[in-house]
Amino acid sequence: MLVLPAELTHAQAAACARMLSQALRSQPGPTAVADASALQHFDSSALAVLLDCRRDALALGKGFAVSGLAPKLRELASLYGVGELLPAAP
């Protein structure tokens, strides 16, 4: 599982995206799951990081899902029209 930090704003986005991209390559299985349950402080950069991670997963032939996405971030994703690209993990 790919774990997001407690804070993910513009200041942390690039480093977090690199960390998740590296972790994704060592993930076994057909679906990469990003765990966003620790995420407390975020801005729209968190969506950009998740979408980057999704793009990397798809490039590796994997599916992508998110667990523990905060309702406010899910709402923001819907507002930007990308909510369907970040499906909830079963």
Side-chain angles (χ1 to χ4, degrees):
M1 187 166 295
L2 308 167
V3 180
L4 274 67
E7 182 173 346
L8 182 48
T9 62
H10 180 72
Q12 299 88 15
C16 185
R18 280 192 303 272
M19 176 203 61
L20 291 174
S21 181
Q22 290 173 350
L24 181 62
R25 285 167 174 63
S26 65
Q27 285 284 309
T31 302
V33 178
D35 179 4
S37 60
L39 198 54
Q40 299 288 317
H41 182 71
F42 54 85
D43 62 18
S44 60
S45 297
L47 290 177
V49 168
L50 286 169
L51 292 171
D52 279 348
C53 193
R54 177 185 182 273
R55 184 173 35 250
D56 288 347
L58 295 177
L60 293 170
K62 296 176 181 269
F64 183 74
V66 182
S67 69
L69 195 62
K72 286 187 179 189
L73 192 54
R74 174 76 54 203
E75 188 177 309
L76 189 61
S78 293
L79 178 68
Y80 287 156
V82 297
E84 68 279 355
L85 299 177
L86 303 172

